[in-house]
Amino acid sequence: MTEPHYDVTGSGPVLLVVPGGAGHPMGLGPVTERLAERFTVVMYDPLGLAHGRLGSPVADQWPADWSEGAHAVLEEVLAADESAYVLGTSSGGIAVLDLLARHPGRLRHVVAHEPPCVTLLPDGTEQRARLIEGLRAGQASAEGPMAVFLAHVLEPFTSYAPAFTASPGRLTVAAGTGSRGHVLYEAAVSVAERTGGAFTEFPGGHLGALEHPEAFADRVAETLIPADAPGAPLTT
């Protein structure tokens, strides 16, 4: 395993964030700033694309690659007796599900936002094929992180299906209000049902963290640490 790449900002309890796509945190500055008012935000960059490795050769990626890398980050930033909150969105949502399955003892509460586990659906094979075809057709001239995602992340990650039961209160699966009626919303519901996790809605659609960063960040905080919980961070 290569040295993990990540950035730390803010103060408060540790919140590990795993972005979607190819793991590049592009566009997540505003949501990170808002979360950093309440948490020590550890932004994980699985492939180091924001840390000088964009353009370097990339092998096909699997959820275990990212989840083990995320665990290595937590081992670096947490004290021996500490645990972390975790947020993953899209492909990052799949990574944090795998992280919870493999290393639950280091995690306090995980939010997986619209993990594209479409194979859980009754017509999952067909849905996955359509999803892959549609994304590739719509991004035929993609470059940079999106090209990496399409070539090395999309197919392996959408084959993932969680096969564990989460401890009570340990997992929340979220979908955007703007995704209602769409396949990724239904996939998120299926993930919650399969794992026993809670289900909730977040502002916006699949890209809610970019579309409504402050509202999205506030919903993350409320989900991880309810306002009436002991020691809950103050809202602003």
Side-chain angles (χ1 to χ4, degrees):
M1 181 185 300
T2 60
E3 178 182 354
H5 299 277
Y6 59 93
D7 295 295
V8 180
T9 186
S11 61
V14 170
L15 170 59
L16 176 73
V17 178
V18 185
H24 192 300
M26 57 184 177
L28 294 180
V31 74
T32 300
E33 291 176 8
R34 184 71 167 185
L35 287 169
E37 296 174 8
R38 310 183 188 189
F39 300 93
T40 298
V41 180
V42 179
M43 182 66 68
Y44 176 41
D45 177 8
L47 297 176
L49 300 183
H51 292 81
R53 292 190 54 80
L54 186 59
S56 299
V58 176
D60 285 349
Q61 299 294 296
W62 297 90
D65 298 324
W66 288 22
S67 66
E68 291 299 337
H71 180 248
V73 171
L74 292 179
E75 290 298 303
E76 288 192 8
V77 302
L78 293 175
D81 60 344
E82 289 182 329
S83 56
Y85 295 104
V86 180
L87 166 67
T89 184
S90 192
S91 52
I94 286 179
V96 302
L97 289 172
D98 195 63
L99 177 64
L100 180 58
R102 293 171 181 271
H103 303 286
R106 293 299 255 168
L107 312 180
R108 299 175 71 175
H109 192 149
V110 173
V111 170
H113 177 257
E114 296 205 7
C117 300
V118 291
T119 60
L120 294 180
L121 300 174
D123 57 345
T125 300
E126 294 80 7
Q127 291 284 10
R128 179 171 177 258
R130 283 199 290 269
L131 179 65
I132 292 171
E133 180 181 2
L135 285 170
R136 286 182 170 161
Q139 301 286 341
S141 59
E143 299 179 348
M146 178 55 73
V148 174
F149 167 69
L150 294 173
H152 300 292
V153 180
L154 176 59
E155 287 198 42
F157 272 61
T158 53
S159 69
Y160 179 83
F164 68 94
T165 300
S167 300
R170 191 68 65 88
L171 172 64
T172 299
V173 185
T177 56
S179 296
R180 292 173 186 163
H182 296 282
V183 64
L184 294 183
Y185 188 102
E186 299 305 320
V189 171
S190 295
V191 170
E193 292 174 347
R194 168 69 68 90
T195 61
F199 177 80
T200 192
E201 290 187 330
F202 275 20
H206 190 63
L207 301 179
L210 306 181
E211 299 162 343
H212 308 286
E214 291 194 357
F216 188 95
D218 290 348
R219 188 75 181 96
V220 170
E222 293 161 5
T223 301
L224 292 173
I225 311 178
D228 58 354
L234 298 176
T235 58
T236 57

